[in-house]
Structures are given as structure tokens and as C-alpha cells.
Amino acid sequence: MPDKAIPFIDLKSQFQSLEPSIRARMDRVLEHGRYILGPEVEELEARLAEFVRVDHCIGVASGTDALQIALMALGIGPGDEVITVPYTWISSAETIALVGATPVFVDIEADTWNMDAAKLEAAITDNTRAIMPVGIYGQPSDMTAINAIAERHQLPVIEDAAQSLGGTHRGKRSGGLGTIGCTSFFPSKPLGCYGDGGAVFTDDPALAQAIRQIRNHGQAKKHHHPVLGINGRLDTLQAAILLAKLEVFEDEIIQRQSVAAGYGRALADAPIKRPVVGDRNTSVWAQYTILSPDRDALRERLQAEGIPSVSYYAVPMHQQPVFASLGYQVGDFPETERVSAQCLSLPMSVGLSEAVIEEIGRVCTGQRTDQPS
């Protein structure tokens, strides 16, 4: 293995390659001093709307705020139900509860680990007010099937694209696949800032207006607050950083796909399940996640070789204590529980070398790292 430690996500190298552009954009913010809703925020919103191919993008303070603001803009609250998946970060379900609504879970597909559209309709009740699919690990859900079901029931779709911004479904960019799209710019995301940040996307002008007001304390103009809002604004410095990163994002997507292809070759003979990208999708590869029935032993072998790994969502939402009152039991979502018990994410960064990928592959196949491939 290389002498230096392998980072799980290599933000330092990315910064070094973009440092002149990032520093120049940050310096401009420091010079004009408009740290809240400065011109870089508006510029970023325009650039991201163009990237996702939607009419409106609204920058917000985090991916969690994006989801909560979307729910608030749709008027969802106590007595309402919102359908999402149990295999996700807690923000997806947390925000539903925070607006007073009830999360309702639908199991995931066995291969993509995204919402199983075949199980969605059975979960819809008279109290259902929205559907929130999650683009796990970098690829969107089957939004064609989900949108068709939503249209039949006249329900809005909130696309949780916190991990899938940059991925596509049937040629359309994630973030623009539902009534509202929400994403996160947490530093580890494929397009990440250096703190918290997020964005909301929509083609609906009325929803866009409501979202802009809600993110700024419900304010329509100075001293006039027609709706209840939150402090959910994107910092100007974070927008400046994102503008610099957005300049190379399309190239980085291609590089991430190349890294994933390298993993596919290196892990071809490993006793694990490799990730599957849906045949109508592309993935931005927010994570490269495998399934292993001997996950803990594999993690220890990787750790012994200086290779970091992470088990995301090892405790699914329906087993979290905060949601015990929903009444779900172990066994209710078998695919989620299987994936949660076996998932392991490997190092994933732009520029991860073929040599490192091959070494990780040797460990995963059970070979000694000093053994020739």
C-alpha cells in the first residue's frame, strides 16, 4: 500500500487543484462584504438552475433545510402523511416529523437500493400529501414510475437529491425530476462546499416564490412576512466556493464514473455484491457501496491495510428510537434490513488511482496486498 494514508474522501487534493479559483471568489466576497444573500448566491442559483435544467433554484442553508422548506411550501403539516424510504439519512424522515406530519416508509429495491415503486401505491392513504424518494449513493430513483403513481393520486413529489445531484434518469438531471428537488452541499457530497449548504429546485413559479420567502423568515419584502418561515439562507462565502467547484463539476462526474468502473473491475471476483445502476440512470457516485455478508470482518481487513470504510444507514429509519411510535417492527422492510446489515462504502474521490483501487480489490477478494494480482 502507499506510504500515506488513503482518505475516505479526498477534499484536500480537490482544494489544492482549485485553490486559485476558490480563493479569488472568496476574496471578492470579503471585499464587497455582503455575506448574507450576496451576489454570488444569485449567480450560483442561476448556474445551478441551468445545470439541472429547471426554471428556479433557491440556495438554502443545508440539505435538511431544503427538505423542510419544500414540505412547508407545499403546506404539509399535522395530520398529513409523507411517503419515503427507511434506508436513508435521518433528514428525509426527520423533516417530515418536524413539520408535524407522519413519515410512512416503503421498502427499497434489491439492486439499486432506492424506493421500490412497485410497493409505493399500497402505502398511499387518504392522508398522503407527498412522496419523497431518495437518490441513494448517487443515482435517482425510478422517477418515471414514481411520478406516474403520484400523478394518478394527484400528489407532489419531493426528490431528495442530496446524493444524486449530477446523476440522471432518462437523460434528465437529478434535482429536476419531481415537483420539487432538494440537494445538499455538505462537504462530502460530489458538489460540496466548506460548511453546510443546500438548494431547492422547481419549475413552479408559485412554489419558487414560497420557497424564497420561507428560507428568509417568511419575508416577502422588508418588514413584511406573509408566511411562517425559517432562517434557511445560503451563506455567500459558501456560494462562492460552490461556483468555483461548479466550473469543473461536469469533468469530475466523468472522473467519478471512471473510478467506479475501476472498482467494478477490481471487485469482479470478490465475494461481495457490487452496486447496480438502473438501466435508465447514470450515477454521480456519491459513494461506492458494496454489500458483504461478512461486513465486519471485511472492514477489519481493510482497516488493517490502512483503508477506511463506512457503513452508512446501518440502523434504518424504522428501527430508530425516535420513530418507535410509528409502530414498525423488525422484518417490515426486508430489503432495507438486508442492505443495512451488509452495506460498506469504500474510499471514493475524484482522482483515486487505479493502483489504490486494485489494492482495495485485493483486500476485498481476500488476497494479501503483497500478493501479485
Side-chain angles (χ1 to χ4, degrees), residues 70-84 96 99-104 120 123-133 149-151 153-159 179-180 207:
L71 291 161
M72 293 172 71
L74 291 167
I76 293 169
D80 297 337
E81 295 175 353
V82 178
I83 299 172
T84 190
I96 297 167
V99 299
T102 301
V104 174
L120 172 57
I124 296 174
T125 73
D126 291 341
N127 295 323
T128 305
R129 294 293 177 268
I131 302 167
M132 186 190 288
I149 293 167
E151 186 174 356
H153 294 269
Q154 297 183 313
L155 294 170
V157 175
I158 302 171
E159 182 195 1
T179 313
I180 301 176
L207 282 175

Side-chain angles (χ1 to χ4, degrees), residues 29 32-45 234-237 239:
V29 177
H32 66 58
R34 294 174 59 188
Y35 301 117
I36 303 296
L37 296 182
E40 284 78 8
V41 174
E42 187 174 347
E43 181 184 355
L44 177 68
E45 290 172 342
L234 177 64
D235 289 348
T236 309
L237 278 167

Side-chain angles (χ1 to χ4, degrees), residues 52 54 63 66-67 70 74 84 92 130-136 138-143 146-147 156-169 172-184 199-201:
V52 176
V54 294
L67 293 171
L74 291 167
T84 190
S92 308
I131 302 167
M132 186 190 288
V134 180
I136 210 74
Q139 67 170 318
S141 303
D142 185 350
M143 297 298 289
I146 291 168
N147 284 334
V157 175
I158 302 171
E159 182 195 1
D160 183 341
Q163 297 179 41
S164 56
L165 184 72
T168 65
H169 173 71
K172 294 185 66 175
R173 287 245 167 93
S174 184
L177 296 169
T179 313
I180 301 176
C182 300
T183 199
S184 167
V200 186
F201 305 94

Side-chain angles (χ1 to χ4, degrees), residues 107-117 142 335 338-339:
D107 208 357
I108 58 175
E109 294 177 330
D111 52 1
T112 68
W113 312 328
N114 275 327
M115 180 180 281
D116 189 340
D142 185 350
E335 291 300 336
R338 178 181 66 88
V339 174

Side-chain angles (χ1 to χ4, degrees), residues 225-281:
H225 303 258
V227 298
L228 191 65
I230 66 171
N231 181 3
R233 301 166 301 214
L234 177 64
D235 289 348
T236 309
L237 278 167
Q238 300 300 343
I241 293 162
L242 288 163
L243 282 165
K245 289 193 172 191
L246 190 57
E247 292 174 2
V248 299
F249 189 42
E250 300 249 29
D251 290 337
E252 287 191 345
I253 292 171
I254 295 170
Q255 293 176 61
R256 298 179 80 88
Q257 291 169 342
S258 177
V259 170
Y263 265 129
R265 294 187 294 271
L267 296 170
D269 298 324
I272 53 94
K273 178 177 174 57
R274 291 175 290 166
V276 174
V277 177
D279 57 9
R280 295 179 293 184
N281 289 350

